Structure formats: structure tokens, C-alpha cells
Amino acid sequence: AQKITQTQPGMFVQEKEAVTLDCTYDTSDQSYGLFWYKQPSSGEMIFLIYQGSYDEQNATEGRYSLNFQKARKSANLVISASQLGDSAMYFCAMREGDFGNEKLTFGTGTRLTIIP
Amino acid sequence: DVKVTQSSRYLVKRTGEKVFLECVQDMDHENMFWYRQDPGLGLRLIYFSYDVKMKEKGDIPEGYSVSREKKERFSLILESASTNQTSMYLCASSLRDRSEAFFGQGTRLTVV
């Protein structure tokens, strides 16, 4: 079974609009971490935002926020006021497992294209 | 500035060759990971290591092995390269907690 599911292979969004990228996860661990990474066409992996499973507040980093719904096992990334430079692949990821021996698993990604 | 360095950006090897992909990090991280990235499949975990000489299989370990003799270095080995191992390979490292992983620039391997 997929640990991380990203159901949107591609999205097109008008510049300055907000965008939500979906991510659902599957784990039986009580303690885990959720991440979002951005991969521009240059290929580098850029860390965007992190949410711990025990964090009560949704994580925010500038224009990025993570809409964490634990009961639904959902960790959607919200980008406010999108910019042309936001065009990239976006990956959701999860760390789970015993402390110190933690697996880091990624989803299949969403290709976001911002239209001027 | 944190750094994860992969030994080659591009590599072309012949079928049946033994291939070594090297990854070095300078952040004193305990955890290191190897992924392959293919279009439509995202990043798939091959192996990871949480300590020197320790290794754990990821989701697609078949056809690969790893070596971690020193904390800063994590090597991915293709014992007998095959064309279906043509891919982008990404190495990452992180601290031994829930913190983010840092990635290398990737190695695009072509097996002919």
C-alpha cells in the first residue's frame, strides 16, 4: 500500500491565486513527521515546511502553510498568492519508525504550473 | 553551508558493470538515504542507514547494495547494472530526529 498519496499529477494555477496541493498518508505510528519539498527544473530538492504529528497548530512558513488533518491523515500544502517561481514539482514526504531508525518516504509528486 | 555531495552528476555504464555511486555529507548527520527518481513514480527509497555499518532496506532494494564505513559517506552499489536501473539517483542525509533531510544534486545514471 502507498504510504504517501498525491492524487494530482499536474495543476495549472493563475498567478496570484492560492493553490492547495493534496497529500494523504498512511501510518500506524503515533509519532511521525510530514514534510513538503519543492523541486524546480534545476533538479535540487528544497525543503519547504514540516509538521510533527503531535503539533496542534498547522505549520506555516511565509507563503506556505500545511493544512494538517490528523483524523483524515491529510497534510495538504497551501501556497498563498502564487508566483511564477512557484512552478515546480512538489513532493509530500513522511518520516516514521523508531527514533534514530526512521524511514523517509515520498509521494509521486504534483507538477505545479503557474500561468501569468 | 550544509552540503551533501554526490560524486558524479552524469554517469554512463554498460550492462553488467559494477557501479558505485558515492555520497558524502559534511553535517555530521546520523541518517543517510538513497533514492531513485523516475517520472510519474516520485522518489522511491532504495536503502537507508542510521549509523555507521548499519543499513535498512527501503521499498525497492532489489539489485542494489550499500556501504557505510564512515559516518559521512554512504555508497550505493549496483552489483551488475541493468538497463532498468537507468534513473536519477538522489542521496540525502538528516539528523537522528524528525528534522528535514538535505539532498545532493543527484546522479543521472544511464545503463546501456
Side-chain angles (χ1 to χ4, degrees):
Chain A
Q2 286 282 3
K3 286 283 186 175
I4 297 283
T5 301
Q6 295 180 254
T7 56
Q8 307 151 308
M11 285 187 72
F12 290 84
V13 172
Q14 205 75 38
E15 190 180 6
K16 297 190 179 70
E17 286 186 357
V19 56
T20 298
L21 305 181
D22 294 341
C23 173
T24 56
Y25 60 92
D26 181 27
T27 183
S28 55
D29 288 1
Q30 294 302 307
S31 176
Y32 52 90
L34 297 158
F35 303 81
W36 278 92
Y37 283 82
K38 173 184 179 181
Q39 187 181 46
S41 55
S42 57
E44 62 189 304
M45 291 287 284
I46 301 168
F47 165 71
L48 294 178
I49 197 166
Y50 166 78
Q51 179 86 40
S53 58
Y54 292 120
D55 295 340
E56 294 187 354
Q57 302 240 359
N58 285 343
T60 59
E61 289 286 348
R63 293 186 300 113
Y64 304 107
S65 60
L66 198 153
N67 184 0
F68 182 45
Q69 298 187 40
K70 195 169 182 177
R72 297 179 62 185
K73 295 191 172 178
S74 164
N76 297 343
L77 177 71
V78 180
I79 306 174
S80 63
S82 57
Q83 302 169 357
L84 295 178
D86 293 334
S87 293
M89 281 292 287
Y90 289 80
F91 292 98
C92 179
M94 175 173 66
R95 288 194 79 159
E96 58 173 340
D98 298 330
F99 182 78
N101 181 15
E102 298 155 353
K103 198 173 177 180
L104 177 61
T105 307
F106 284 76
T108 52
T110 296
R111 182 172 296 282
L112 176 64
T113 303
I114 306 300
I115 306 164
Chain B
D1 203 16
V2 297
K3 218 165 186 176
V4 179
T5 303
Q6 295 183 229
S7 51
S8 306
R9 194 74 197 261
Y10 300 94
L11 214 50
V12 179
K13 294 292 181 181
R14 294 197 180 278
T15 303
E17 273 193 78
K18 190 167 186 175
V19 181
F20 293 86
L21 302 183
E22 307 285 347
C23 176
V24 177
Q25 49 96 3
D26 65 358
M27 296 166 282
D28 203 35
H29 284 170
E30 294 90 0
N31 290 16
M32 296 188 75
F33 307 85
W34 272 108
Y35 297 88
R36 64 176 283 176
Q37 183 177 7
D38 300 287
L41 298 178
L43 278 72
R44 292 181 291 167
L45 182 62
I46 304 171
Y47 269 96
F48 64 106
S49 167
Y50 54 92
D51 205 345
V52 176
K53 296 193 187 296
M54 305 306 289
K55 61 185 179 185
E56 292 284 340
K57 290 181 181 179
D59 299 315
I60 52 164
E62 297 79 18
Y64 303 95
S65 62
V66 289
S67 171
R68 193 161 179 207
E69 297 296 318
K70 294 185 177 182
K71 190 176 185 180
E72 66 270 18
R73 187 182 296 269
F74 192 35
S75 303
L76 180 69
I77 303 155
L78 287 66
E79 295 289 342
S80 178
S82 65
T83 54
N84 62 13
Q85 293 178 309
T86 292
S87 186
M88 171 68 83
Y89 289 87
L90 291 166
C91 173
S93 72
S94 76
L95 290 169
R96 189 179 290 164
D97 59 14
R98 304 292 180 192
S99 61
E100 75 271 23
F102 294 85
F103 281 81
Q105 77 275 29
T107 296
R108 184 163 293 282
L109 172 68
T110 303
V111 182
V112 298

